[in-house]
Amino acid sequence: MKLLLKWLLSAAALLCVAYVYSGVAVQSFTSALIAAFVIGLFNVVLRPVLVVLTLPVTIVTLGLFLFIINALMFWAAASVLDGFHVNGFGAALLGSLIYSLLGMLIESALGGLFTKK
């Protein structure tokens, strides 16, 4: 149940990013659902590999390179999907930052909602 709710709220967060920032465009809620799924899939499959491969750069930049990796995942999802568009890497960077902040709020809210007693 928590996973389904997180997916729906992540799609809503993606629509919110598109509303707040003009560099990101989402055509519909269905497109947002698919995009949230693909971004999540990329973050589970590709992101750990990229983090390990770029570990020296990440250490030298004190972890700031992880923002670049997040932007790459966001941009890659937009390049694979129809109905989800990002206007270049700068837009992907800012869009992924906003999306990550909203994702942290969602995780915090769901953590409080689904606490084990």
Side-chain angles (χ1 to χ4, degrees):
M1 183 68 174
K2 181 180 177 182
L3 184 64
L4 182 62
L5 191 56
K6 182 178 178 187
W7 180 39
L8 291 171
L9 290 173
S10 294
L14 199 55
L15 285 173
C16 183
V17 170
Y19 179 76
V20 170
Y21 180 55
S22 63
V24 177
V26 180
Q27 285 183 354
S28 64
F29 187 69
T30 305
S31 297
L33 281 171
I34 295 168
F37 177 77
V38 171
I39 290 170
L41 188 66
F42 282 0
N43 281 333
V44 167
V45 176
L46 295 177
R47 189 174 190 274
V49 174
L50 287 175
V51 168
V52 169
L53 289 175
T54 61
L55 191 59
V57 176
T58 304
I59 291 171
V60 168
T61 62
L62 303 174
L64 292 177
F65 194 74
L66 293 175
F67 290 121
I68 304 300
I69 292 173
N70 285 343
L72 287 173
M73 297 297 100
F74 201 75
W75 199 18
S79 67
V80 168
L81 298 172
D82 291 332
F84 176 49
H85 181 72
V86 176
N87 296 330
F89 183 76
L93 183 61
L94 190 55
S96 70
L97 286 173
I98 298 168
Y99 186 65
S100 295
L101 289 173
L102 292 173
M104 287 181 356
L105 288 172
I106 290 168
E107 275 296 319
S108 176
L110 291 180
L113 189 62
F114 289 100
T115 56
K116 294 182 180 178
K117 294 180 184 181

